[in-house]
Amino acid sequence: MELAVYLTDPAGLEHLEEALQPLAMDGIPGFISSVLSLGQYGLEEYIANGMATTFLGESPIPLELGRLYFGQEFCEFLIPTPEEVVQAFFTACQMGWEFTYTTGYVTAAGLERTVANLAALASECPSAEVVVNDWGVLRVLGRDFPSLRPVLGRLLVKQPRLSRYVTERPPVLRTGIQAPLAEIQSRQIAALRETNLGIAAYADLLRRHGVARVDLDPVPQGLAPEALPQGVALSLYAPWTCAAASRTCRTAAVADPRRQTAMPGSPCSGPCREVNRNRVGVACVQPILLRGNSAFVYNLTYVANYLDGSLPVDRLVFEPYIPL
Amino acid sequence: MQLTVGLDRADHRTDIANYARQGVDEFFAGFVPGPWSERFGWEVGLNRRTFGGAAQYTDIDEMREAIAAVHAAGKRILITLNAHDYGHERLDLVRDVVQTLEGLGHDGYIVADPALMGHLRRWGVQTLFHLSTGAGAFNSETIRFFHERFGLRRVVIPRKMTLREMRVLMDNTADLNLEFEVMVIGYRCQFNDEFCFSWHCGSSGNFCTDYVKMPKQVRGRFPRNWKDVLQEAMDAPAEQFVQGSKLDEFCRYIAQHTPTEKPAPPPAEAGEQSPLPLAMFNNCGLCAIPALRAMGVHTLKVPVRGAPWQKGRYLEVVRAVLESPDPTPEFCRSLINSRGFCSAPDACYYHLDGQEG
């Protein structure tokens, strides 16, 4: 199975080797863990890195590191420059890896920057993959950059993700419903294992746009094999699944005395690169973390369920850190 | 500029006539019949209101009567089929619902899922679609993507776009002669509808509201060499627990790069900021209405279903602003009876400069 590593900025490229280095988290003495505040809420990202690198190192399925994902899915203020995209592409070349450029949902301003990056990428690597999370980006890609190969991004796959609320026995409002609770719950879980990707007309539409791969976030309820179109390859992101995304940002509002959240529309200094603003809570096995404008849930527990051969997963996209 | 408002099963013929007299030009409603709710409950929805039957029509005769009442008042009504994904197994049941609805003479559908749009056309639905906020049309290329494949009449602009971003979006699609609809009042979630992947239920807490209520904390992110520091500390702890060591530098870096969590807003002066208007009208974009009208927004949406009294109050204030020759922020605040409303953090729907703080 192909292993890709997903980075979002040039600084990440500089520390690529360290990000991939396995670290046995359970071997850290308590006094060091205490100094680093590793047990405190909001820092599970680093624990997750250690657990994920260990998971990858011990995987029973052979993983071959051969691809770099680079770009920004969640915030148009963090879209890299064309020079940074090209730098990332050459880094991948130096490593002997393939390259995938990730794009996000964008307004006109973000689309302009995305198009500039696509042009730079197409001139250096006409057959590179591009992850699309915006239908407008897919349209531009097909019209102006037909040699680039689109991948349907995880934000356009609408399967519910959030483990806290998608369990074997989800809460159900019973008002006005006669059917037994257990039946409703099992049908709900079955429904949540479906996606529209299994609808023939939709699969045709994606095929007409050259989509031969779909990127997925692993979810606790899993994915029904029949929920997929024929002939499409799957990638899985790990260890972070996007639970919710937004165009307002609590971290960007840290320096704003008036607001708890910042609206987009004016330049952002990107404080999320330095600090994180999260809810206060108790650390848990599968934490939900807010990074910038989006929320992520730790998903490594679910990844193995996707690798039993029932689904055409042939790529794992390792996120050393939350990709924002 | 017209006004659209949601209907639900509590709204009967006389209510609909009253709304029309209050200036409502168009309605939208969800229909969830028994065969669907008995199979999937309310949480796996035919539309984005997954909190129970009170926000829907659940009886076909009541739905038919509501559509007839809307048409008798000379207005239009759209049906919401705006779930993000209907899945392949549910599609047959969706088709049954659509075939039932098609005989009732409503005026179209509000849709978000491209897979459903394709099938609605295959099933013979002729009306132009209203593209739901759930489709995430943040740019003109996205609108063109949907319009050229499925045919649109209107685009509901996603929440949390600035007025300037909306204007650019509309200008860039002026050749398509589409209508644009925006929301101006009511709860505006921390997250965006189109990228909400959580589970909503009318009988338990939901991720978004839980999250917003929880206190926040700002922490510095680790420097990129954190593993090196950690490894050195594990290999030779005695050398690291001294001033000037890598571990010491790491700890100082974190301390220096972590601003303190911002303080809570100062308490409002007496009478300035009662929590009741905030609870009722949050979030509010009333004073943006003149700018929205000037840029050519066709329809204002009052996205409330299942709460008749609240809906009535929203309609009163939105209509008053629409009819006012000079709806200043002071005028808007007088409508909602709160002089301090705009200074409450994040109360403003569009974060208009000068209205907050």
Side-chain angles (χ1 to χ4, degrees):
Chain A
M1 178 167 312
E2 182 182 44
L3 178 64
V5 59
Y6 183 8
L7 300 172
T8 59
D9 64 349
L13 293 172
E14 290 169 20
H15 293 86
L16 177 58
E17 193 177 337
E18 186 166 16
L20 295 168
Q21 180 187 327
L23 185 67
M25 301 304 290
D26 52 3
I28 301 172
F31 63 93
I32 294 177
S33 179
S34 171
V35 166
L36 298 182
S37 303
L38 273 175
Q40 291 191 23
Y41 200 81
L43 294 179
E44 292 92 334
E45 180 175 15
Y46 304 101
I47 300 173
N49 177 286
M51 293 171 74
T53 49
T54 302
F55 172 88
L56 297 176
E58 296 174 351
S59 169
I61 300 171
L63 299 171
E64 189 170 346
L65 186 53
R67 182 172 293 274
L68 176 64
Y69 270 49
F70 184 82
Q72 180 50 246
E73 296 171 279
F74 303 100
C75 176
E76 67 182 57
F77 286 110
L78 300 179
I79 293 173
T81 64
E83 293 74 24
E84 289 169 343
V85 173
V86 170
Q87 180 193 348
F89 167 66
F90 283 125
T91 300
C93 291
Q94 284 169 359
M95 307 290 280
W97 297 350
E98 301 294 323
F99 185 73
T100 300
Y101 173 51
T102 55
T103 65
Y105 54 97
V106 285
T107 63
L111 184 61
E112 193 177 328
R113 298 181 66 183
T114 300
V115 168
N117 288 346
L118 293 174
L121 180 61
S123 68
E124 297 292 345
C125 182
S127 62
E129 278 187 357
V130 177
V131 174
V132 292
N133 285 295
D134 182 301
W135 295 111
V137 172
L138 182 63
R139 183 175 188 269
V140 169
L141 202 61
R143 184 189 63 211
D144 299 339
F145 306 99
S147 68
L148 295 172
R149 292 177 294 143
V151 174
L152 192 71
R154 54 178 157 179
L155 297 180
L156 294 181
V157 179
K158 301 298 183 179
Q159 193 181 24
R161 271 93 149 146
L162 202 53
S163 60
R164 182 176 170 191
Y165 301 99
V166 184
T167 66
E168 288 183 9
R169 292 279 173 260
V172 171
L173 181 68
R174 302 279 291 138
T175 308
I177 291 176
Q178 307 301 318
L181 177 62
E183 283 184 20
I184 295 273
Q185 287 171 325
S186 63
R187 286 178 190 141
Q188 287 188 347
I189 292 297
L192 295 172
R193 284 169 53 80
E194 301 176 10
T195 71
N196 56 10
L197 295 167
I199 295 173
Y202 186 52
D204 287 346
L205 185 147
L206 294 177
R207 204 171 292 121
R208 285 198 302 276
H209 284 84
V211 174
R213 173 174 294 278
V214 176
D215 280 1
L216 292 178
D217 272 333
V219 294
Q221 73 271 25
L223 182 69
E226 57 273 21
L228 293 168
Q230 293 293 316
V232 164
L234 293 184
S235 321
L236 289 182
Y237 288 90
W240 294 104
T241 280
C242 176
S246 178
R247 292 201 78 238
T248 53
C249 182
R250 288 190 176 257
T251 302
V254 161
D256 188 333
R258 298 176 299 171
R259 299 175 182 133
Q260 291 296 314
T261 61
M263 276 275 277
S266 54
C268 177
S269 64
C272 59
R273 296 290 201 208
E274 299 286 330
V275 301
N276 200 39
R277 192 168 182 223
N278 206 337
R279 63 177 181 174
V280 178
V282 180
C284 55
V285 177
Q286 286 168 332
I288 301 166
L289 288 169
L290 191 79
R291 164 61 45 78
N293 60 14
S294 302
F296 297 84
V297 61
Y298 179 76
N299 68 20
L300 209 52
T301 314
Y302 317 127
V303 169
N305 300 336
Y306 286 72
L307 303 179
D308 63 1
S310 62
L311 296 168
V313 178
D314 63 0
R315 180 186 298 172
L316 205 56
V317 183
F318 170 52
E319 304 154 291
Y321 305 106
I322 292 174
L324 208 156
Chain B
M1 198 175 213
Q2 70 171 37
L3 193 54
T4 185
V5 68
L7 295 176
D8 54 69
R9 67 189 188 193
D11 293 311
H12 298 289
R13 183 172 289 275
T14 53
D15 304 299
I16 292 167
N18 284 336
Y19 294 139
R21 275 193 291 275
Q22 282 183 275
V24 176
D25 305 284
E26 185 186 279
F27 299 89
F28 59 94
F31 175 59
V32 181
W36 182 282
S37 55
E38 287 295 323
R39 187 164 181 78
F40 299 115
W42 303 112
E43 291 79 12
V44 175
L46 269 164
N47 57 63
R48 290 288 289 165
R49 287 280 166 172
T50 57
F51 303 106
Q56 314 286 348
Y57 285 95
T58 54
D59 180 281
I60 190 65
D61 292 326
E62 290 181 355
M63 185 78 257
R64 182 185 293 111
E65 184 182 318
I67 292 170
V70 168
H71 288 162
K75 309 298 182 186
R76 302 173 73 240
I77 179 167
L78 284 296
I79 302 296
T80 52
L81 284 177
N82 58 347
H84 294 171
D85 181 342
Y86 288 90
H88 59 285
E89 291 289 339
R90 282 165 281 165
L91 206 58
D92 286 345
L93 202 46
V94 177
R95 183 177 56 200
D96 292 346
V97 171
V98 168
Q99 286 175 345
T100 303
L101 288 167
E102 280 296 285
L104 304 186
H106 64 91
D107 298 290
Y109 296 96
I110 304 171
V111 286
D113 176 8
L116 178 68
M117 290 182 216
H119 274 275
L120 287 171
R121 292 293 180 234
R122 285 185 176 195
W123 298 336
V125 170
Q126 305 271 324
T127 51
L128 293 173
F129 295 138
H130 288 208
L131 190 66
S132 166
T133 188
F138 293 101
N139 59 67
S140 59
E141 294 287 347
T142 295
I143 292 173
R144 291 178 193 280
F145 176 91
F146 281 103
H147 186 54
E148 64 200 10
R149 279 157 191 79
F150 306 115
L152 304 179
R153 174 192 177 108
R154 184 181 299 172
V155 175
V156 186
I157 296 180
R159 291 179 177 89
K160 301 171 189 113
M161 287 184 75
T162 64
L163 299 183
R164 193 181 66 79
E165 288 169 338
M166 285 190 226
R167 189 179 302 114
V168 172
L169 180 73
M170 294 169 62
D171 287 349
N172 287 348
T173 50
D175 59 303
L176 301 180
N177 293 316
L178 296 170
E179 299 170 356
F180 287 90
E181 177 177 310
V182 303
M183 282 155 268
V184 287
I185 202 161
Y187 179 61
R188 187 198 62 169
C189 180
Q190 158 76 25
F191 300 103
N192 267 62
D193 175 294
E194 52 277 20
F195 302 120
C196 169
F197 301 109
S198 71
W199 172 269
H200 287 103
C201 177
S203 67
S204 68
N206 296 308
F207 166 67
C208 44
T209 45
D210 285 358
Y211 179 83
V212 168
K213 285 179 194 164
M214 284 188 173
K216 307 299 184 298
Q217 179 186 48
V218 181
R219 298 198 71 101
R221 290 180 65 181
F222 281 6
R224 305 271 184 169
N225 68 340
W226 69 279
K227 279 187 188 170
D228 273 352
V229 175
L230 188 52
Q231 196 61 57
E232 282 197 27
M234 289 166 66
D235 291 344
E239 293 169 22
Q240 292 301 314
F241 274 80
V242 294
Q243 200 164 355
S245 71
K246 244 183 179 176
L247 185 62
D248 182 48
E249 285 174 14
F250 177 92
C251 294
R252 289 172 190 272
Y253 174 92
I254 294 292
Q256 285 167 4
H257 287 79
T258 299
T260 53
E261 172 62 16
K262 60 202 297 181
E269 293 176 23
E272 285 282 304
Q273 205 181 84
S274 162
L276 294 180
L278 273 178
M280 178 76 183
F281 292 105
N282 208 19
N283 301 91
C284 170
L286 289 177
C287 70
I289 288 175
L292 295 168
R293 188 189 336 237
M295 73 173 74
V297 168
H298 180 273
T299 299
L300 300 178
K301 171 170 265 177
V302 175
V304 182
R305 285 186 276 162
W309 184 79
Q310 188 179 21
K311 184 159 57 185
R313 282 290 289 132
Y314 280 5
L315 282 176
E316 283 174 26
V317 298
V318 173
R319 200 71 218 170
V321 173
L322 275 172
E323 290 173 353
S324 168
D326 184 22
T328 62
E330 292 72 25
F331 174 77
C332 297
R333 287 192 286 267
S334 73
L335 289 173
I336 61 177
N337 193 28
S338 173
R339 283 182 294 162
F341 185 93
C342 300
S343 61
D346 306 319
C348 181
Y349 211 110
Y350 292 107
H351 286 195
L352 298 177
D353 285 337
Q355 301 310 314
E356 293 181 296

